[in-house]
Amino acid sequence: MSTTKANRVGAGKAAVSASAYHHGNLREALIAQALALAAEAGLEAVSIREVARRAGVSPAAPFRHFPDKVALMTAVAEEAMARFRAEIAAALGREVSDDPIRRIRAIGTAFLDWARRNPTHFEIISSRRAIDFAGSASLGADNAEIQAQMVTLLEEAAQRGLLRIDDPQLIQITGRALVYGLARMLIDGQFPSWGVAEAEVERMMERSLDLFLAGLLKVPAAGDPDRS
């Protein structure tokens, strides 16, 4: 079993034991059990009946909070997105430089770290096949906030004359495709087939992100001070 799969199963089992239902906390218990089940067996294995069984309640009890599986998984996605935003905030808080490129790198690294440690959260949010993304106000707002952070940093980089590409939307989409693709390769266990040892995967992802960011920058003219 790969490290990623082992981590996923281990996290799922831990969540099952840690999220036993207590009176008055049913909604949170159901969310935790749905996440644990998805981690163990995949999104398709999640059913309201099985989640109820794991939470120790009747099959009808979850319907007081969630009318169907999509509503339940959307709530799981909302929790995952909130944790992802906290990851970004923490990464930006650790980045002491005001260099917008370095801060963009911090967001990209936060995405990769979050996906590596939370593969089921990544799967639920990214695939969107099991949730009502468009119908969730909080998911839309959180996603818009992350995009707005990127736009602000790109505008600042452009104002400082750092970028050789004047197309924020193109930069955002390309950057998103890069970190999404790297996370997907990691979770699917594809790096070994490209000759990257497990111990080197994290460094390879960082180097890939740095290559992308370096491609955004103007080549400094002779005599210009070093940005580093």
Side-chain angles (χ1 to χ4, degrees), residues 7-29:
N7 289 343
R8 184 182 302 147
V9 172
K13 290 180 178 178
V16 170
S17 61
S19 60
Y21 169 57
H22 297 287
H23 181 69
N25 198 34
L26 178 57
R27 186 179 189 278
E28 290 76 9

Side-chain angles (χ1 to χ4, degrees), residues 16 19-21 26 29-30 33-34 37 40 45 47-62:
V16 170
S19 60
Y21 169 57
L26 178 57
L30 294 170
Q33 296 295 350
L37 181 56
E40 291 175 25
S47 69
I48 288 184
R49 176 176 290 276
E50 177 60 17
V51 168
R53 186 190 69 78
R54 288 175 170 233
V57 297
S58 72

Side-chain angles (χ1 to χ4, degrees), residues 97-162:
S97 172
D98 68 348
D99 183 333
I101 300 299
R102 289 182 184 274
R103 297 185 74 77
I104 290 172
R105 186 186 190 279
I107 293 175
T109 302
F111 182 100
L112 295 173
D113 288 346
W114 168 76
R116 175 172 52 83
R117 295 197 310 271
N118 304 281
T120 307
H121 280 167
F122 171 83
E123 180 73 23
I124 291 169
I125 291 177
S126 298
S127 73
R128 301 188 183 182
R129 68 179 185 273
I131 65 176
D132 181 12
F133 189 93
S136 169
S138 68
L139 286 175
D142 284 342
N143 193 55
E145 177 60 29
I146 294 169
Q147 291 184 15
Q149 286 179 301
M150 286 292 294
V151 168
T152 297
L153 290 170
L154 288 170
E155 288 176 346
E156 184 178 346
Q159 290 169 2
R160 294 191 188 187
L162 302 177

Side-chain angles (χ1 to χ4, degrees), residues 76-91:
V76 173
E78 290 169 348
E79 172 65 20
M81 181 69 86
R83 295 184 187 184
F84 176 40
R85 287 211 42 206
E87 187 96 12
I88 290 176

Side-chain angles (χ1 to χ4, degrees), residues 101 157-166 171 212-222 224-227:
I101 300 299
Q159 290 169 2
R160 294 191 188 187
L162 302 177
L163 302 180
R164 68 180 185 87
I165 301 169
D166 184 22
I171 294 172
F212 165 72
L213 293 173
L216 299 180
L217 300 177
K218 288 182 178 178
V219 177
D224 281 357
D226 188 347
R227 289 181 57 247

